Amino acid sequence: MLALRLRMENGDVTDTTVRVFVESEAGSDVRRVFDETTLELRSERRVSAAYPFPYGFILGTITDDGSAVDCFVLTAERIRSGTIVRAEPVGLLEQIENDEIDHKVLAVPAGESWSVDASLQGTLRAFISDLFRPYADVRVEVGRILGADVAIAFIASRARGE
């Protein structure tokens, strides 16, 4: 199933939503890993920082390393681990781990809005820095937040052909 839905009316994009499977809840320092096909819980472990937002992956996508596209769901609402959320991409956080692209899509639940600004970038940069601090052998660079159009193109380029 294609995760990104595009409907064209007179050449304009009118709907761009994705389905995000939430692995880790906001406020939790537990990293849950689910099988991206069966959605069964595979492992849990404590991490060095609490997630600032629900975090998971976009269903129906695959990256060069074989995993799905990672996604932060920007919301103040509590979304439990194991929940599938329909969301609208609003940005793409540039992230590189040991010279490999590992960008994160930023999305908001359908009907919500979120300010994608320097404050958000600072929150995410601090979280990622804290998260990787215990791993001296991992070099992480966090760059800019690119726009929704770049996020949508990124997701579309990684949609699984099912």
Side-chain angles (χ1 to χ4, degrees):
M1 170 191 290
L2 201 62
L4 186 64
R5 309 247 186 255
L6 299 175
R7 281 187 303 207
M8 304 299 284
E9 292 178 7
N10 301 326
D12 295 330
V13 176
T14 59
D15 181 29
T16 55
T17 59
V18 294
R19 292 176 37 215
V20 180
F21 183 86
V22 174
E23 291 182 297
S24 297
E25 300 173 16
S28 174
D29 66 350
V30 176
R31 170 73 168 113
R32 292 179 176 84
V33 177
F34 286 78
D35 181 288
E36 294 176 350
T37 303
T38 66
L39 305 182
E40 294 176 11
L41 181 63
R42 292 290 181 210
S43 66
E44 293 182 328
R45 65 179 168 85
R46 291 226 178 266
V47 293
S48 57
Y51 286 84
F53 304 102
Y55 179 78
F57 57 88
I58 298 174
L59 295 168
T61 61
I62 190 163
T63 62
D64 293 341
D65 70 4
S67 63
V69 171
D70 296 326
C71 184
F72 285 101
V73 179
L74 307 178
T75 184
E77 298 297 318
R78 180 170 180 166
I79 301 175
R80 294 197 176 275
S81 179
T83 301
I84 296 173
V85 177
R86 183 162 297 283
E88 179 79 21
V90 295
L92 182 69
L93 179 67
E94 294 178 316
Q95 182 176 318
I96 300 172
E97 293 176 26
N98 291 335
D99 299 323
E100 295 198 16
I101 292 174
D102 191 19
H103 293 346
K104 312 298 183 194
V105 170
L106 309 177
V108 296
E112 290 188 34
S113 63
W114 197 274
S115 182
V116 178
D117 56 16
S119 175
L120 172 65
Q121 185 176 14
T123 297
L124 293 171
R125 185 181 303 272
F127 165 71
I128 292 165
S129 176
D130 289 346
L131 187 68
F132 283 95
R133 185 163 288 127
Y135 306 101
D137 59 329
V138 179
R139 193 177 67 260
V140 177
E141 300 170 46
V142 179
R144 303 168 296 167
I145 295 178
L146 306 173
D149 55 337
V150 176
I152 292 165
F154 180 79
I155 297 163
S157 73
R158 285 149 181 85
R160 278 191 236 182
E162 296 179 348

